[in-house]
Amino acid sequence: MNQNPLRTMGQQFSRRSWAEPWKIKMVEPIHTTTKEERERAIREAGYNTFLLRSEDVYIDLLTDSGTNAMSDRQWAGIMLGDEAYAGSRNFYRLEATMQKYYGYRHLVPTHQGRGAEHLISKVAIQPGQYVPGNMYFTTTRLHQELAGGIFQDVIIDEAHDPGNLHPFKGNVDIAKLDAVLKKAGGAQNIAYISVAGTVNMAGGQPISMANIRDVRAWCDKHGVRFFLDVTRLAENAFFIQEREQGYRNKSIREIVKEFCSYTDGAWMSAKKDALVNIGGWLAVNDDTLFDNLRNLVVVYEGLHTYGGMAGRDMEAVAIGIEESMEDDHMRARIGQVYYLGELLLNWNIPIVQPIGGHGIFLNAKKIYEHIPQNQFPAQMLAAQLYLDSGIRSMERGIVSAGRDPETGDHRYPKLDLVRLTIPRRVYTQAHMDVVAEAVKYVYDNRASTRGLTMVYEPRDLRFFQARFEPVA
Ligand SMILES: *Cc1c(COP(=O)(O)O)cnc(C)c1O
């Protein structure tokens, strides 16, 4: 299951190595820092990797969001920006590309993914309605809650167990959907089902095609709408191709199209799969819903033919969507993630398994068994990786989970993870070797590491700006 596709490809050609389907045309110098510089930088950043300056970072694995390297074709597309206020040529190109690859009828461009989440939440949620989802994504859930929705996690239990080898840990548990329906007292109190593939917070884990069909059947039976977060759906499609019966000979493109056909609409942060630095969109089939969204996009994002993006951005997104659907691209992209993950597994370092689509998730709870969860073990692990070698990663645990709006307590998630997120087409295998060795060093020195206390806590999405100090 965790076979490295790079290796698999190698075996096919009698043990020859296989490399990325691109070569480097332009480079951006990065520099190393001294231990003293890093100690000062992380202290000044309140032990929060979000608050580090990028100049102080050597290998930046904070996120795969907007950190993609664009292709020469995308850069050429940038020069074809039609910056007319209304009716830009690039909008129509993007609309046609979305229709071709994702298959929805109507497109609403937005400045990035959360712009789309804001609009769909405002239009499709009545205060007090339930919104079931497969685990949660930070901005998705926040917009649902701000619109008065009550988020309900309906992901299968296996997703909360970092060692469980289920091949589709992003799947929805239909019994949990039934339970939400019962609690809601009827389908009229469910706004819609909100599903994302892959599931970031579970470790980049995919949903199967069989599961998405089951959710569709459930929605048809009860008359509930079904919307999809397609931010990383091309990556999800790779896992379906690799693991699900009947899909080995289907292309990423075919799998994405079929997957979307079971849903009523979707939103996307183009900063992930679509290989750009900024952009997003919302797409729906229903005419009335589209009308409402088009009214709202003008208020919050921009005219309905640009939605906060420049014409050139829309062109780059359109080309990026096409490139993201190429099987060779996706094999190399996820192959690099597998490569890093397998190095760590060979050293018995606890990571979430199976290895997911966009990064490696270190199991901080397991690594720092001696640090209680309310002393933020994952936050500290991210700080230690930076201190060791200037590698920037991200906490995905109790800090990211935030507080329960009702009780005001921390939410105590089962997973306390550090995410090493791999930007697309940016780093080489040598960078991955450096990262793996840094993780090993920090892991080997885990016993002497202490926890943190939070000294500043923002109200919303606290992980972005919270500040910490080591416990005395
Ligand atoms: C990044 C992301 C979003 C939010 O998109 P932004 O472009 O960062 O606003 C929503 N859903 C998922 C699954 C994401 O990864």
Side-chain angles (χ1 to χ4, degrees):
M1 184 183 303
N2 280 340
Q3 247 182 355
N4 184 341
L6 300 178
R7 268 189 217 160
T8 318
M9 288 291 288
Q11 280 158 8
Q12 252 174 291
F13 301 104
S14 62
R15 303 208 161 273
R16 295 270 183 95
S17 292
W18 184 79
E20 287 80 0
W22 39 260
K23 59 183 177 175
I24 296 166
K25 184 177 288 196
M26 190 188 283
V27 297
E28 174 183 340
I30 49 179
H31 73 283
T32 49
T33 45
T34 64
K35 180 101 189 165
E36 289 70 35
E37 286 170 329
R38 292 195 293 278
E39 277 168 0
R40 182 170 29 80
I42 196 75
R43 218 180 314 113
E44 284 176 8
Y47 290 81
N48 185 345
T49 51
F50 276 103
L51 299 178
L52 287 167
R53 290 171 187 238
S54 137
E55 272 179 349
D56 294 330
V57 172
Y58 177 45
I59 299 176
D60 202 344
L61 307 184
L62 183 73
T63 174
D64 64 333
S65 178
T67 53
N68 304 302
M70 292 206 294
S71 66
D72 53 357
R73 286 183 291 165
Q74 285 176 294
W75 279 109
I78 290 272
M79 297 309 292
L80 300 178
D82 169 7
E83 307 304 342
Y85 187 87
S88 161
R89 182 175 63 229
N90 313 115
F91 167 77
Y92 296 105
R93 164 97 196 262
L94 177 59
E95 183 185 53
T97 305
M98 182 283 292
Q99 288 164 341
K100 179 172 166 194
Y101 289 93
Y102 294 92
Y104 301 106
R105 289 181 57 205
H106 304 296
L107 178 80
V108 181
T110 59
H111 78 284
Q112 61 184 86
R114 72 197 69 183
E117 291 171 335
H118 175 216
L119 300 183
I120 189 78
S121 302
K122 244 181 139 63
V123 167
I125 299 173
Q126 309 281 336
Q129 281 186 321
Y130 288 91
V131 191
N134 55 343
M135 207 169 259
Y136 74 98
F137 186 74
T138 51
T139 57
T140 314
R141 183 177 67 189
L142 180 62
H143 280 295
Q144 290 165 353
E145 289 176 349
L146 287 172
I150 305 164
F151 171 80
Q152 299 282 299
D153 185 7
V154 292
I155 203 164
I156 57 172
D157 286 338
E158 286 87 340
H160 295 282
D161 174 358
N164 190 300
L165 291 175
H166 193 292
F168 292 103
K169 284 164 95 173
N171 280 357
V172 170
D173 185 335
I174 302 291
K176 289 187 185 174
L177 276 182
D178 289 333
V180 174
L181 181 67
K182 200 162 160 212
K183 191 162 151 191
Q188 75 282 1
N189 294 326
I190 296 182
Y192 54 85
I193 313 281
S194 167
V195 159
T198 59
V199 183
N200 190 349
M201 306 304 273
Q205 303 295 329
I207 319 172
S208 70
M209 195 72 86
N211 186 248
I212 215 71
R213 271 191 230 111
D214 288 347
V215 176
R216 176 76 254 172
W218 189 92
C219 288
D220 286 343
K221 181 169 161 203
H222 298 289
V224 174
R225 283 181 297 190
F226 183 10
F227 297 124
L228 184 63
D229 184 332
V230 295
T231 298
R232 293 191 180 81
L233 192 62
E235 290 173 3
N236 196 104
F238 172 86
F239 291 109
I240 291 177
Q241 191 183 57
E242 200 187 40
R243 298 175 186 170
E244 193 162 356
Q245 179 106 45
Y247 287 92
R248 181 148 286 275
N249 296 319
K250 291 247 160 79
S251 63
I252 299 283
R253 202 174 139 174
E254 289 168 317
I255 295 169
V256 165
K257 193 84 177 270
E258 181 187 340
F259 203 96
C260 292
S261 73
Y262 300 120
T263 66
D264 301 307
W267 61 87
M268 182 181 212
S269 167
K271 303 172 71 171
K272 320 305 185 356
D273 268 358
L275 295 162
V276 293
N277 305 119
I278 193 73
W281 49 261
L282 185 58
V284 292
N285 291 329
D286 184 79
D287 295 338
T288 314
L289 184 60
F290 175 53
D291 226 42
N292 292 334
L293 290 165
R294 221 166 24 163
N295 280 317
L296 219 54
V297 73
V298 184
V299 180
Y300 290 103
E301 299 283 317
L303 194 72
H304 62 279
T305 55
Y306 75 85
M309 282 186 283
R312 55 179 172 269
D313 296 337
M314 292 190 281
E315 189 70 18
V317 173
I319 298 169
I321 288 173
E322 287 170 357
E323 293 180 355
S324 75
M325 302 281 172
E326 284 165 16
D327 287 51
D328 275 356
H329 158 71
M330 197 50 80
R331 236 189 329 267
R333 189 288 184 276
I334 297 183
Q336 191 175 40
V337 179
Y338 277 19
Y339 176 80
L340 174 60
E342 283 175 357
L343 287 177
L344 299 178
L345 284 174
N346 287 342
W347 289 326
N348 293 318
I349 295 170
I351 65 173
V352 173
Q353 292 191 70
I355 294 167
H358 62 298
I360 297 301
F361 291 70
L362 305 172
N363 185 350
K365 218 186 228 177
K366 188 90 174 275
I367 293 172
Y368 290 146
E369 270 170 326
H370 58 291
I371 301 180
Q373 199 172 9
N374 62 7
Q375 290 183 8
F376 315 109
Q379 191 78 29
M380 191 49 154
L381 182 56
Q384 291 301 318
L385 274 176
Y386 175 74
L387 280 167
D388 177 68
S389 44
I391 291 163
R392 173 150 69 171
S393 57
M394 181 196 293
E395 194 261 13
R396 288 275 94 148
I398 184 168
V399 182
S400 299
R403 288 184 187 271
D404 187 304
E406 272 174 23
T407 65
D409 273 351
H410 292 305
R411 290 174 166 126
Y412 285 86
K414 292 211 184 90
L415 303 181
D416 244 281
L417 308 175
V418 165
R419 192 179 77 183
L420 300 164
T421 340
I422 316 299
R424 296 168 189 78
R425 307 192 292 208
V426 170
Y427 292 116
T428 64
Q429 191 157 311
H431 290 109
M432 295 303 115
D433 291 336
V434 170
V435 171
E437 287 161 22
V439 173
K440 183 165 186 337
Y441 180 87
V442 168
Y443 179 69
D444 289 344
N445 289 279
R446 62 195 179 280
S448 57
T449 306
R450 292 168 299 155
L452 294 164
T453 48
M454 203 188 310
V455 294
Y456 167 68
E457 179 174 358
R459 192 190 56 197
D460 293 319
L461 301 177
R462 64 181 182 176
F463 57 94
F464 282 131
Q465 291 161 333
R467 303 184 71 84
F468 303 83
E469 282 171 7
V471 292

